[in-house]
Amino acid sequence: MTTETTAISPPTIGGQLPAIQALSALAEQHPTLPAAYITVQEPAPRYNTDARLDVQVDGPAFEAWRTALGADPAAVVLHTTVSNTWLAVDTTYEGVRVHLAGFQGPLSRAQVDAPRDTTAVSA
């Protein structure tokens, strides 16, 4: 038995390159998408995860981004809290994982009480 430890090299920007290239391709293919807050997450080899993109948009821009990313409308999830409401979907684009979130204010009482099913949602 040895006391050697296996060192994991820290992630580099080179590991983020696939996500950066996917973002570049998205911008080239869809130059009129509304601006977004985008972060490129570093790969985490220890957890067997590659680099990914996290995209946050204002609520009205969500559908345009969802469509451009090719995310399945049935995969969209509505999240609500007392003070916030957002739609979110996880998808892949150009082989890179993408998390898209569209934020807006709280729902009205009528919106909270309205019946929902995925066929009535445009996103």
Side-chain angles (χ1 to χ4, degrees):
M1 190 148 121
T2 67
T3 57
E4 291 179 26
T5 59
T6 303
I8 296 176
S9 298
T12 64
I13 194 165
Q16 293 174 299
L17 191 56
I20 294 167
Q21 290 170 329
L23 179 58
S24 178
L26 183 68
E28 288 175 10
Q29 294 169 19
H30 304 279
T32 61
L33 276 175
Y37 174 76
I38 302 167
T39 57
V40 179
Q41 300 295 325
E42 67 183 41
R46 146 182 332 185
Y47 301 109
N48 198 30
T49 60
D50 296 324
R52 75 165 198 253
L53 296 171
D54 285 338
V55 180
Q56 295 179 11
V57 296
D58 289 332
F62 183 87
E63 181 62 13
W65 274 86
R66 186 205 60 77
T67 301
L69 291 168
D72 182 358
V76 174
V77 178
L78 171 67
H79 298 274
T80 62
T81 67
V82 173
S83 60
N84 257 329
T85 303
W86 68 97
L87 296 172
V89 67
D90 291 302
T91 190
T92 59
Y93 184 81
E94 301 280 324
V96 172
R97 292 182 312 127
V98 179
H99 176 76
L100 172 64
F103 292 90
Q104 57 190 42
L107 296 176
S108 68
R109 183 82 240 159
Q111 290 171 317
V112 169
D113 293 338
R116 286 183 196 73
D117 68 55
T118 57
T119 60
V121 177
S122 65

